[in-house]
Amino acid sequence: MSWLWITLSTRWDLASVQAALNVVIAVLGTTSIWSFTRFWWQRASLKVLNGERIVPLSKLLTFSGPGEGWDLMTLLRRQLFAKENWHLLAQLLVVIGITAATGFAGPISKVSLRNGETIVRRSLQGLQTSKGAGPALNLLNANVLWNETIQSLNYAEFPFNQVMDFVPPTNEPWVFQENEWEPTWHVRCNQTEPTVIANLYGDNRYTFADPLNAFPAFRDTLDSAWLNTGRYRVTTDFCGWDTPGGNPSLKDAVFYILVQSNPEADDQMYLNKNPLELSISALHVSNGNITISANTITGRKAIVPTGRFQQALYSRSECLITRNAQVEDEDSIPWIWTNDTTSIAQSYADYNRFDVEQAAGRNLTVPTPSADDLLRFYQAYIASITTNTSRPTPKTLSVRLRTVELSSIFLGLILLLFLLTLWGSVRYLVFFIKHKTDLEKTYVPDGKLEWMLHAVKTSTTLTEQMANQKDREHFRSALFGCEVSSNIPPIATLARIYSNQDSLWRARTGDQSTRSQSAGTQLPRVAGIPQRYHLGECLAVRTFNKSKPGRSKSLPLTTPSRYFEDELWAPVPVFSERLRSENFSME
């Protein structure tokens, strides 16, 4: 289901994209909460601007964090689920959800991203095969080059049915695409995977240098046609590990037997045209007796098998390599008819020697090379000897690149949240520009800071000069405290906010005449409406019985949630007009 994932980049690594996505989630979460709270503030403000001048205080409440949400939950408790508070519950759920998503931005990014692969075509600087030294082509002790070439071929899934005309750089993640390759030599093989040889005995008349005769049971696995020495050339080499001592024994040994068409026949090592028949075998023997003697001619040790070997396996690739009839340049094709076949067998042994000796020396299982392993090394060897003198040449090939993919479901959610945030922000901007003048007149508070400034402007007697001050001056000069006047015993006392520039502040700082006047100042009483007295620096709240204006009773102490639900908000001039229109009595 590839449609569930979208490729983001072929250059950035997964960790970098995850870090960037964490920032995106955090920023988008913050802005979306801001936009969402502006939506509810606009909703309440619009009611005021449209004539509904007295609005329940709960309609004006907005909050942007789980802490404020917790305060609301502790205030309203079960009343939060009441029908009239559905907008608060919606805000709470959205704020908690987005805040949680922002907090878990790391895990969300991890499950929303993954590594993928894509294939693109690129021009690569590789090596074109060439004739080079022709019949004398060979290469020894190039294990690093062979290993890199084999790994590159395996990664690219290069097929076994051809010999390479062009060797791409091994440090590029190229992949094989059949339409990009036009091989000169084609390979068809019959393969034998590792097969057990039962009762393998060594013939002590021959040494390990001649495994076909030293192990007759193995020789019998070959078709007799391959033993035609006039038509085929046999070259061998081996690597292994023995246990020294008075009676030496063989731990493991792997023989590489190369049987191929004789390059000297019909001067094929100079022509490089006829089909080449090739048989590559690996014989793995373990745990057998041997005798070691010095070869007086070569100076090397001669190892002779004696008796039965506990385990023997062999694998083989028998191939026919044919060439295209016509080629553009005879000197720019692989020269497979090299006369140095000894170097091929020796290179097999040298390439695998370390692995065999390390495993055998540590009493580990020595793996038997598979038929594909034998053929793959032959491809790498021919590629190495035919590009030894080549210069880099560009060729357009397919390259597999590692990509970073994003979940399309996550992308859809992010886009939806972004569009809603954008819509809310634009809506707020248009609303603010359209109603800027009316908003300044009514001054509908939004957020903690504006509510504090609102308390400063409405809880003190401000002169015209003080009223025209900027909000930051009010915020800088406003104070909070409580000093209860003894003239009127308060029923419920609340610390008030006042400015250090008003009459109450002057009274507190020494102007006793002003203080006494302020302390005795009483707001107009309105029947049925809570009345507030300036009691020094405190605020007393009383209520009046509308049916009996002459009587008053103390406002009973009650829970904050009752105050929150019963309180109304309105501008003072509007509030006065509303009272007159409803025939409230003023005292």
Side-chain angles (χ1 to χ4, degrees):
M1 302 177 70
S2 58
W3 60 271
L4 290 175
W5 297 90
I6 300 172
T7 300
L8 288 182
S9 174
T10 58
R11 296 183 179 180
W12 301 338
D13 58 74
L14 183 62
S16 299
V17 178
Q18 284 181 345
L21 189 57
N22 289 345
V23 176
V24 171
I25 294 175
V27 172
L28 185 58
T30 303
T31 54
S32 62
I33 290 178
W34 176 87
S35 177
F36 187 70
T37 55
R38 297 288 78 73
F39 169 81
W40 291 105
W41 180 81
Q42 293 171 60
R43 184 183 175 93
S45 300
L46 194 60
K47 292 182 179 180
V48 177
L49 299 178
N50 288 339
E52 189 177 341
R53 294 307 186 96
I54 297 181
V55 179
L57 194 63
S58 62
K59 299 293 183 182
L60 294 172
L61 176 63
T62 60
F63 51 92
S64 57
E68 294 172 324
W70 174 257
D71 293 339
L72 179 66
M73 292 173 61
T74 57
L75 177 67
L76 296 181
R77 298 183 182 179
R78 287 182 298 177
Q79 298 174 17
L80 179 62
F81 300 95
K83 183 178 180 180
E84 62 271 14
N85 293 327
W86 71 270
H87 61 289
L88 297 176
L89 181 61
Q91 287 189 67
L92 180 64
L93 294 177
V94 171
V95 169
I96 291 178
I98 296 179
T99 303
T102 303
F104 290 96
I108 293 175
S109 299
K110 186 175 182 180
V111 300
S112 300
L113 294 170
R114 72 173 187 180
N115 279 124
E117 292 181 346
T118 186
I119 296 178
V120 299
R121 288 173 57 84
R122 285 186 178 180
S123 178
L124 302 180
Q125 293 288 330
L127 300 176
Q128 180 68 41
T129 57
S130 62
K131 178 181 178 179
L137 284 174
N138 68 359
L139 189 63
L140 294 174
N141 302 320
N143 288 9
V144 174
L145 174 61
W146 296 329
N147 189 57
E148 291 178 349
T149 304
I150 290 173
Q151 289 182 357
S152 179
L153 293 175
N154 290 337
Y155 178 84
E157 298 181 354
F158 191 81
F160 294 95
N161 63 356
Q162 57 187 277
V163 179
M164 303 178 72
D165 287 69
F166 180 85
V167 181
T170 57
N171 60 343
E172 291 287 348
W174 65 279
V175 294
F176 175 80
Q177 298 290 338
E178 187 173 0
N179 60 340
E180 297 172 350
W181 295 80
E182 297 180 359
T184 302
W185 294 95
H186 303 269
V187 182
R188 297 197 308 270
C189 298
N190 293 322
Q191 295 183 321
T192 303
E193 295 303 328
T195 304
V196 175
I197 302 177
N199 299 321
L200 180 70
Y201 287 86
D203 190 337
N204 57 12
R205 295 176 298 175
Y206 301 93
T207 67
F208 277 14
D210 185 8
L212 288 179
N213 291 316
F215 302 103
F218 169 71
R219 183 182 63 222
D220 294 341
T221 62
L222 273 172
D223 191 292
S224 59
W226 290 105
L227 303 178
N228 185 348
T229 57
R231 184 178 177 181
Y232 300 102
R233 178 187 293 178
V234 179
T235 53
T236 66
D237 207 333
F238 73 96
C239 56
W241 184 268
D242 62 335
T243 302
N247 296 313
S249 62
L250 180 70
K251 182 66 173 64
D252 284 277
V254 181
F255 298 85
Y256 301 94
I257 301 95
L258 178 70
V259 183
Q260 74 163 63
S261 302
N262 191 346
E264 295 178 341
D266 301 326
D267 293 332
Q268 285 304 309
M269 61 182 180
Y270 301 105
L271 301 176
N272 195 42
K273 289 185 176 181
N274 286 355
L276 185 144
E277 295 178 86
L278 175 69
S279 174
I280 311 172
S281 303
L283 172 64
H284 178 200
V285 297
S286 304
N287 301 322
N289 295 323
I290 56 174
T291 59
I292 301 175
S293 62
N295 190 315
T296 57
I297 298 177
T298 63
R300 298 178 61 185
K301 292 181 178 180
I303 303 176
V304 178
T306 59
R308 180 180 178 274
F309 289 82
Q310 292 183 9
Q311 185 177 13
L313 299 94
Y314 80 97
S315 58
R316 181 174 296 137
S317 286
E318 295 180 343
C319 306
L320 177 64
I321 306 176
T322 58
R323 202 192 89 158
N324 292 339
Q326 299 294 329
V327 294
E328 294 182 3
D329 186 358
E330 289 287 346
D331 293 335
S332 298
I333 62 175
W335 200 273
I336 67 172
W337 280 94
T338 175
N339 191 43
D340 191 357
T341 57
T342 302
S343 294
I344 301 177
Q346 184 177 344
S347 296
Y348 270 99
D350 290 342
Y351 179 72
N352 294 282
R353 192 181 311 278
F354 179 81
D355 292 337
V356 172
E357 292 180 354
Q358 283 290 309
R362 296 175 181 177
N363 292 321
L364 301 176
T365 301
V366 177
T368 303
S370 66
D372 284 345
D373 292 338
L374 297 174
L375 187 55
R376 183 67 87 196
F377 182 84
Y378 182 81
Q379 289 177 314
Y381 180 84
I382 295 299
S384 65
I385 64 174
T386 56
T387 58
N388 202 21
T389 59
S390 300
R391 294 184 178 182
T393 304
K395 184 179 178 67
T396 301
L397 295 175
S398 296
V399 178
R400 181 187 287 118
L401 297 180
R402 196 174 183 85
T403 62
V404 177
E405 297 179 347
L406 176 68
S407 169
S408 57
I409 297 177
F410 174 80
L411 179 61
L413 294 176
I414 285 292
L415 289 177
L416 177 61
L417 184 59
F418 172 77
L419 292 176
L420 291 176
T421 303
L422 181 63
W423 171 78
S425 301
V426 173
R427 183 176 182 270
Y428 172 75
L429 182 62
V430 173
F431 173 83
F432 186 80
I433 294 175
K434 182 179 179 180
H435 302 285
K436 183 178 181 181
T437 303
D438 295 335
L439 288 173
E440 290 178 352
K441 290 180 180 179
T442 57
Y443 191 75
V444 183
D446 176 23
K448 289 181 178 180
L449 183 59
E450 290 192 6
W451 277 106
M452 294 176 68
L453 294 174
H454 182 76
V456 173
K457 296 176 180 180
T458 58
S459 296
T460 59
T461 304
L462 302 179
T463 64
E464 182 178 356
Q465 180 181 2
M466 294 166 59
N468 292 331
Q469 288 182 344
K470 294 183 178 180
D471 288 344
R472 62 172 172 267
E473 293 298 328
H474 285 299
F475 183 75
R476 183 184 62 82
S477 60
L479 302 173
F480 176 86
C482 178
E483 182 177 335
V484 181
S485 173
S486 59
N487 295 332
I488 302 177
I491 304 302
T493 59
L494 300 174
R496 56 164 292 193
I497 298 175
Y498 54 87
S499 171
N500 61 7
Q501 302 176 46
D502 68 359
S503 58
L504 296 180
W505 172 258
R506 290 194 299 272
R508 192 177 191 280
T509 54
D511 192 343
Q512 297 297 327
S513 61
T514 304
R515 176 184 175 93
S516 60
Q517 294 176 5
S518 299
T521 301
Q522 178 177 319
L523 294 178
R525 289 187 297 158
V526 183
I529 301 298
Q531 180 182 20
R532 292 168 172 77
Y533 288 85
H534 288 297
L535 306 178
E537 284 77 18
C538 290
L539 186 66
V541 181
R542 290 173 178 263
T543 185
F544 295 88
N545 191 324
K546 183 176 180 181
S547 60
K548 299 179 180 180
R551 294 185 179 182
S552 65
K553 62 178 180 179
S554 300
L555 180 69
L557 296 176
T558 184
T559 61
S561 62
R562 290 284 299 174
Y563 287 122
F564 180 73
E565 292 177 344
D566 296 339
E567 288 295 325
L568 303 176
W569 179 92
V572 172
V574 175
F575 188 58
S576 301
E577 293 175 4
R578 182 70 174 272
L579 295 177
R580 286 194 293 271
S581 65
E582 296 184 7
N583 297 320
F584 283 99
S585 62
M586 301 289 293
E587 296 181 348

